[in-house]
Amino acid sequence: MSLDLPIRPRRNRKSAVVRDFARETFVGPEHFVLPLFIHPGKEDQPVASMPGCSRLTLDSMLREAEGAMKEGVRAFDLFPAIPESQKTPGAQEAWNPEGLVPAAIRAMKREFPESLVITDVALDPYNSDGHDGLVQDGKILNDETVQLLVMQALCHAEAGADVISPSDMMDGRIGAIRGALDSRGFTDVSLLSYCVKYASSFYNPFRDALDSAPKFGDKKTYQMDPANAREALRELEQDELEGADIVMVKPAGPFLDIIKLVRENTVLPVAAYQVSGEYAMLKAAAINGWLDERRSVLESLLGIRRAGADLIFTYFARPAARWLKEG
Ligand code: PBG
């Protein structure tokens, strides 16, 4: 006996061919940015809370990038682990032209001129108190910090960065950096703003990787309250006016609604960052055999794309590219 049903959505799922016709969202290696941790040591150092990720020497960074490019991943974001001895309250190492990041940018652009090299602009890896901005009497100074971020951004641009990505959440930094880049002739350097970045608990493994956790307090006076959605639109409006080329939402998985909100309110490309804690959760479950790694990772990436992200920063970029190729 059959039910008298006028609509049977299952018909559009009945075979692989029909499912391919009906598919709305695609994810591929062209959507990925691979974050790379680099350090000045002689050997790679595995990051305990991020199995499969290491702090890389510059040679290993180049090998990793080469492997990724063969798999179709062409964009890289560089994050430095700075030795304690180079961290200062003024974060001066952040704009040292002979520092680790400028050296890494030059090496990447020399070996792989066709790659897209993105650099993180924020003071936390360089600052002895681990905050993204300059600290005075326990407060994070905004306007003074912006001056330093401008110097850091110029240093990266001079080394050859393609995209500068301020992750600090100070007010007004996009406009200040855009102006400084343009006045020095770096009109082609793009700004990918960490526009909507939440004060999230999911960054802890990253702070292990860089040894960059704040030495006091938290980041709640500059990163956004996870309870807020409307405020994302204020950040978006400001970054658009100041000249951002791409806007990011971060983290991704717990904030899919925000990705969708930003997608619906801008014509700019929207990036999402599947952060270290999201990686660690999936990886831990996979290692324990509680989740099928391949299927759960690809589903998480598809979800981020479906929410409206054009590009995804993900530590799974290489395995995901391989799995997608295998089909
Ligand atoms: C630094 C920065 C952070 C991340 C990217 N850039 C950490 C933070 O804001 O504390 C997090 C990335 C991740 O968790 O994968 N400003």
Side-chain angles (χ1 to χ4, degrees), residues 171-241:
D171 293 332
R173 88 279 207 220
I174 297 298
I177 293 172
R178 183 73 272 159
L181 289 172
D182 290 352
S183 71
R184 306 292 170 93
F186 295 115
T187 49
D188 285 344
V189 174
S190 314
L191 287 183
L192 190 162
S193 174
Y194 283 64
C195 172
V196 184
K197 177 174 180 179
Y198 288 94
S200 169
S201 55
F202 288 96
Y203 306 149
N204 285 11
F206 172 97
R207 294 175 189 171
D208 288 346
L210 298 192
D211 196 17
S212 64
K215 298 282 178 355
F216 71 89
D218 51 45
K219 299 192 174 184
K220 291 180 186 170
T221 69
Y222 44 108
Q223 299 179 351
M224 280 176 55
D225 182 344
N228 291 357
R230 292 192 302 265
E231 196 180 339
L233 298 178
R234 279 193 100 190
E235 289 286 353
L236 174 62
E237 188 179 9
Q238 178 170 22
D239 283 1
E240 285 191 324
L241 288 171

Side-chain angles (χ1 to χ4, degrees), residues 79 120 122 124 132 167 194 197 202-203 206-207 219 223 250 273 275-276 315:
F79 291 104
D120 200 73
D124 50 327
D132 292 37
S167 70
Y194 283 64
K197 177 174 180 179
F202 288 96
Y203 306 149
F206 172 97
R207 294 175 189 171
K219 299 192 174 184
Q223 299 179 351
K250 176 183 175 188
Y273 200 137
V275 300
S276 56
Y315 302 95

Side-chain angles (χ1 to χ4, degrees), residues 25-27 297-307 312:
T25 309
F26 297 88
V27 58
V297 168
L298 291 180
E299 189 175 321
S300 73
L301 296 169
L302 191 69
I304 295 165
R305 287 270 302 147
R306 194 186 59 244
I312 307 175

Side-chain angles (χ1 to χ4, degrees), residues 1-299:
M1 79 108 207
S2 57
L3 298 171
D4 179 21
L5 291 179
I7 294 170
R8 288 182 182 266
R10 287 187 56 189
R11 277 196 290 269
N12 277 352
R13 303 174 201 141
K14 69 183 176 187
S15 71
V17 178
V18 175
R19 287 194 296 274
D20 282 350
F21 287 154
R23 185 159 304 123
E24 299 170 33
T25 309
F26 297 88
V27 58
E30 68 274 24
H31 302 127
F32 300 152
V33 176
L34 176 61
L36 295 172
F37 301 127
I38 52 175
H39 79 139
K42 295 261 179 294
E43 275 173 37
D44 296 349
Q45 294 172 347
V47 179
S49 51
M50 299 180 72
C53 294
S54 294
R55 296 183 190 128
L56 305 171
T57 65
L58 291 195
D59 281 344
S60 301
M61 170 197 77
L62 292 173
R63 280 199 300 279
E64 183 74 13
E66 186 177 21
M69 304 251 296
K70 287 195 180 117
E71 291 155 356
V73 177
R74 301 162 299 174
F76 305 95
D77 192 8
L78 307 180
F79 291 104
I82 301 296
E84 206 56 45
S85 61
Q86 289 175 8
K87 299 188 185 193
T88 56
Q92 283 86 351
E93 183 61 19
W95 52 91
N96 173 6
E98 303 309 319
L100 180 62
V101 167
I105 299 168
R106 287 191 293 266
M108 286 285 289
K109 293 308 294 185
R110 186 178 60 233
E111 300 285 322
F112 311 113
E114 70 285 20
S115 69
L116 192 81
V117 174
I118 306 174
T119 60
D120 200 73
V121 160
L123 302 183
D124 50 327
Y126 306 94
N127 200 328
S128 39
D129 50 59
H131 277 285
D132 292 37
L134 205 56
V135 178
Q136 197 177 66
D137 303 327
K139 287 212 165 80
I140 316 304
L141 304 178
N142 192 88
D143 300 15
E144 293 79 354
T145 296
V146 170
Q147 306 287 311
L148 306 184
L149 299 172
V150 164
M151 297 206 282
Q152 185 181 18
L154 286 172
C155 166
H156 294 177
E158 271 153 19
D162 298 299
V163 178
I164 287 178
S165 193
S167 70
D168 55 284
M169 290 298 280
M170 298 300 126
D171 293 332
R173 88 279 207 220
I174 297 298
I177 293 172
R178 183 73 272 159
L181 289 172
D182 290 352
S183 71
R184 306 292 170 93
F186 295 115
T187 49
D188 285 344
V189 174
S190 314
L191 287 183
L192 190 162
S193 174
Y194 283 64
C195 172
V196 184
K197 177 174 180 179
Y198 288 94
S200 169
S201 55
F202 288 96
Y203 306 149
N204 285 11
F206 172 97
R207 294 175 189 171
D208 288 346
L210 298 192
D211 196 17
S212 64
K215 298 282 178 355
F216 71 89
D218 51 45
K219 299 192 174 184
K220 291 180 186 170
T221 69
Y222 44 108
Q223 299 179 351
M224 280 176 55
D225 182 344
N228 291 357
R230 292 192 302 265
E231 196 180 339
L233 298 178
R234 279 193 100 190
E235 289 286 353
L236 174 62
E237 188 179 9
Q238 178 170 22
D239 283 1
E240 285 191 324
L241 288 171
E242 291 182 25
D245 300 291
I246 302 177
V247 287
M248 185 199 280
V249 174
K250 176 183 175 188
F255 296 90
L256 295 177
D257 58 326
I258 307 298
I259 296 173
K260 186 165 161 68
L261 181 71
V262 169
R263 169 70 291 150
E264 287 170 348
N265 283 280
T266 185
V267 296
L268 294 176
V270 176
Y273 200 137
Q274 184 180 51
V275 300
S276 56
E278 297 175 77
Y279 176 87
M281 283 195 296
L282 286 163
K283 205 70 192 174
I287 287 169
N288 279 289
W290 298 333
L291 285 177
D292 176 326
E293 182 173 10
R294 173 185 175 134
R295 292 182 53 211
S296 52
V297 168
L298 291 180
E299 189 175 321

